[in-house]
Amino acid sequence: MFKKLAFSFKTKFYPIKANINSKGEKIYHCPEGRLYYSVKPVDYFKNEKQAERAGYRKSKI
């Protein structure tokens, strides 16, 4: 229950999910992105600008 609540909090207040792919590229995903719900994030951000400042690029898909 706690994990589900924590995940819900993160996605509500930090909707941008970020991960690192097999090539080592840092990629972030927005809620409207096709892969958003299948991503296993290593980081969360409030907005795209924060993700980009952290060195992530927007997903091309």
Side-chain angles (χ1 to χ4, degrees):
M1 176 69 178
F2 178 74
K3 281 187 175 183
K4 192 172 188 176
L5 182 62
F7 179 76
S8 174
F9 175 84
K10 283 182 182 178
T11 56
K12 181 175 182 179
F13 295 103
Y14 297 88
I16 306 299
K17 294 181 183 180
N19 67 345
I20 301 172
N21 70 11
S22 60
K23 295 178 184 177
E25 298 173 310
K26 296 169 93 176
I27 302 169
Y28 70 86
H29 302 267
C30 299
E32 62 275 1
R34 210 174 80 196
L35 298 176
Y36 184 79
Y37 293 100
S38 63
V39 168
K40 293 185 180 179
V42 294
D43 219 340
Y44 293 87
F45 297 96
K46 283 187 176 184
N47 54 51
E48 292 183 50
K49 191 174 265 186
Q50 281 185 340
E52 289 172 359
R53 276 187 283 195
Y56 290 88
R57 68 160 174 84
K58 188 172 186 174
S59 172
K60 296 176 182 175
I61 300 175

